[in-house]
Amino acid sequence: QVRLVESGGGLVQPGGSLSLSCAVSGVSLDVYPIAWFRQAPGKEREGILCFKPGDGTTYYVDSVKDRFTYSRDNAVNTVYLHMSSLQPEDTGVYYCAAGSITNNAAAYSYWGQGTQVTVSS
């Protein structure tokens, strides 16, 4: 069974950096795409980054473009989200998800429990 576990959230100062991990079990990252979402209070869950297996590129939503990057380590079946120049509006619960290749949350079958990221002085 597919299982995803996020870690690495916490409190960071504006302008700071933070990296999140998503440990994946049950599938191989060689063939199974993983996406990142976030949800702020009172807002819809937003797809922020996904790897496009068809052409090998990474999609970034405009709000995180040039600030967030995506990497993976297939040897340990872990996906990473590296965040820099963090702003208060980046605050929210961050999730990794599997089971689709879109940025529509309703299309995903598997979710982690989420990890809280708070950007505040």
Side-chain angles (χ1 to χ4, degrees), residues 90-113:
D90 294 316
T91 294
V93 179
Y94 283 69
Y95 301 88
C96 54
S100 186
I101 57 172
T102 78
N103 65 350
N104 178 9
Y108 285 80
S109 300
Y110 303 102
W111 294 87
Q113 293 299 306

Side-chain angles (χ1 to χ4, degrees), residues 56 61 77 87 116 121:
V61 71
N77 246 36
Q87 304 167 278
Q116 176 72 40
S121 60

Side-chain angles (χ1 to χ4, degrees), residues 53-70:
D55 58 15
T57 62
T58 302
Y59 167 80
Y60 301 87
V61 71
D62 284 346
S63 61
V64 307
K65 186 177 181 181
D66 300 322
R67 299 190 298 117
F68 290 12
T69 59
Y70 185 60

